[in-house]
Amino acid sequence: MSMVASSNAAPQIGSFEFHGDTVTVVTNDRGSWAVLGQLCRNLTLDPEAQRQALSRKSWSQGRTCITQVRLPEDDRARQHFLIHERIVPMWLANITTSRITDEAKRDKVERAQVELADALYNFVSGRPSAPVPRPEMTKLEALRAALESEEGRLAAEARVKELEAPAAAWNVLADASGDYSLRDAAHILNRDPGISTGQHRLMKFIRELEMVDRKGVPYAKHNAHLTERPQTYLHPQTREVMLAKPQIRITVRGLQYLHGKLGGVAPLQYEQPGLDGAA
């Protein structure tokens, strides 16, 4: 996977609205890039599944990258997986909408397949986008929309208050000692709506990030993120205590690191590390 080429000029970050959703665009000397995780959330798609599918395509080589981006709704920059503007149409065309059972979600993806590439091109080139026709609302529809908007605002405020305590706790414990098993780390990461993973998929991703060598031993540069816990077992015949292959464990800092690499969008919600035991 290639990274964004370095440049003397800092990348420019802009955004436009697409049918009520924000689309962030990062522009540097290699062109303009869209944030895959954000596009997937807009279209109610699984970001990790789409990232893996994209990575397997020959036409995506050299046109994806991972870099720090601060999204408009975020309070700081985070690691995000970006795709170049030139492969956005190919990515959308490769989504099989017939497999999407929810009609509203399917319509949203199919609309993006028709309109999103043009909207992105218009934004990058500075051309004004064609206005989206809006059918006239009946009084009942207008009232319903107003009620839904107010309910959404109240729900969002309640969710922010709910996340404030875990976020504060994370800041306090980010330097704490302790570690998690792959299973428990995957469980914690899955609480983020932008992440979908399991312990085996998480280990595969750790290998893709080159955090461990071929034998699964953590590299020294990732000592703050990964550790090994010795394991023993009882020999079934001699009843001797034998050494088993050490178990990979993910530290608190490692959990934060993987959360960013996987495109997490919400503060981590987790248990006190070091109390989960071996998986």
Side-chain angles (χ1 to χ4, degrees), residues 129-179:
S129 299
V132 179
R134 289 180 173 270
E136 290 187 7
M137 282 185 168
T138 64
K139 289 184 178 179
L140 179 60
E141 288 172 336
L143 178 60
R144 184 182 293 117
L147 288 172
E148 289 176 352
S149 176
E150 178 65 11
E151 289 175 359
R153 183 185 65 80
L154 293 174
E157 289 178 354
R159 181 58 175 159
V160 167
K161 290 180 180 178
E162 180 185 338
L163 292 175
E164 280 177 350
W170 170 256
N171 291 333
V172 172
L173 292 176
D175 293 322
S177 61
D179 48 57

Side-chain angles (χ1 to χ4, degrees), residues 206-238:
I206 287 172
R207 291 184 184 277
E208 290 176 356
L209 292 176
E210 297 182 351
M211 298 174 70
V212 297
D213 61 21
R214 292 183 179 181
K215 296 181 179 180
V217 178
Y219 285 114
K221 64 181 180 180
H222 286 289
N223 282 346
H225 301 143
L226 301 176
T227 186
E228 289 185 302
R229 179 179 294 185
Q231 294 188 104
T232 61
Y233 70 95
L234 198 62
H235 194 284
Q237 296 177 343
T238 65

